[in-house]
Amino acid sequence: MKCPFCGGTETRVKDSRDIGDAIHRRRECEHCKGRFSTYERVEKFHLMVVKRDQRREPFDRQKLYVGLRKACEKRPLPAGEIEKAVEEIEQELYRFGRQEISSDIIGEQVMERLRHMDKIAYIRFASVYRSFDDVEKMFEEIQTLLNPEKPNTESLNQLSLAEQPEPLPSDDF
Ligand SMILES: [Zn+2]
């Protein structure tokens, strides 16, 4: 926080008051002893999506829902599953804490959810979302989905014998 009088960066908070929608602070500059006020407010922001051609548009949860529903059409998914995925993706996007987010990141979030929800929906979405350059990578992914490697239970057992892993810390979300 720069002093508005001398530009000094060392300031001291003399008083701090909650005034409803903000915190009002009286500050004093350590250099020139000038006093000034600051207001701290919750930042309200609307998430903007940066498209591949650099155009911006406001994040549209409905659009996300429609995209997911299309990918999941006629798939045996429990009721409310798509809504839940939309909810989770939206929360994740806000958690990045950025005001702008690329459509690629949103696409990756959707793919990540669909991968666990329904393999066919995942492939459908990926084939639309991914550019043609990625076809080779796409093919590799489909192969992995069709021929999942068997988990190596032997090495897992060895690991648990050699070293007891500590329990994972619970998330605070
Ligand atoms: Zn000053």
Side-chain angles (χ1 to χ4, degrees):
M1 185 66 62
K2 264 189 188 168
C3 168
F5 307 110
C6 73
T9 50
E10 301 293 316
T11 62
R12 201 194 317 201
V13 175
K14 304 292 280 184
D15 182 41
S16 189
R17 242 166 355 111
D18 192 330
I19 54 165
D21 65 336
I23 305 278
H24 174 229
R25 293 191 212 282
R26 289 291 299 162
R27 292 173 185 267
E28 189 183 276
C29 174
E30 300 274 29
H31 301 286
C32 71
K33 301 290 172 196
R35 292 193 175 188
F36 58 100
S37 297
T38 57
Y39 295 88
E40 184 182 299
R41 285 194 168 83
V42 172
E43 188 183 6
K44 292 182 190 131
F45 66 91
H46 297 284
L47 200 57
M48 294 298 283
V49 179
V50 185
K51 318 265 281 179
R52 281 188 177 161
D53 60 7
Q54 297 306 303
R55 275 184 305 124
R56 265 82 169 157
E57 61 179 42
F59 171 71
D60 184 351
R61 142 188 256 280
Q62 183 62 21
K63 207 169 168 181
L64 182 63
Y65 175 74
V66 169
L68 270 160
R69 206 182 49 193
K70 219 170 193 175
C72 297
E73 207 160 48
K74 295 189 182 134
R75 295 302 303 156
L77 285 167
E81 192 82 357
I82 297 173
E83 287 81 356
K84 200 180 130 215
V86 170
E87 188 75 40
E88 284 174 2
I89 292 166
E90 192 180 17
Q91 280 175 12
E92 192 65 34
L93 297 178
Y94 275 99
R95 206 169 289 153
F96 283 115
R98 283 189 247 147
Q99 204 155 352
E100 292 190 334
I101 208 139
S102 81
S103 55
D104 281 350
I105 288 181
I106 300 177
E108 277 159 28
Q109 291 293 323
V110 173
M111 303 246 291
E112 193 51 39
R113 291 296 183 296
L114 286 179
R115 194 198 291 267
H116 299 293
M117 279 164 67
D118 188 277
K119 304 276 187 246
I120 299 295
Y122 167 72
I123 291 169
R124 273 186 197 154
F125 184 85
S127 65
V128 174
Y129 160 73
R130 291 235 158 137
S131 65
F132 203 70
D133 303 342
D134 292 327
V135 164
E136 221 167 286
K137 201 177 159 204
M138 180 76 213
F139 184 69
E140 277 170 35
E141 272 177 45
I142 293 172
Q143 293 244 296
T144 321
L145 289 172
L146 295 177
N147 310 300
E149 281 177 55
K150 282 177 195 144
N152 193 338
T153 47
E154 210 169 290
S155 66
L156 280 175
N157 284 340
Q158 280 171 0
L159 187 74
S160 63
L161 280 177
E163 197 178 327
Q164 286 293 330
E166 280 182 39
L168 290 169
S170 62
D171 276 336
D172 280 330
F173 299 123

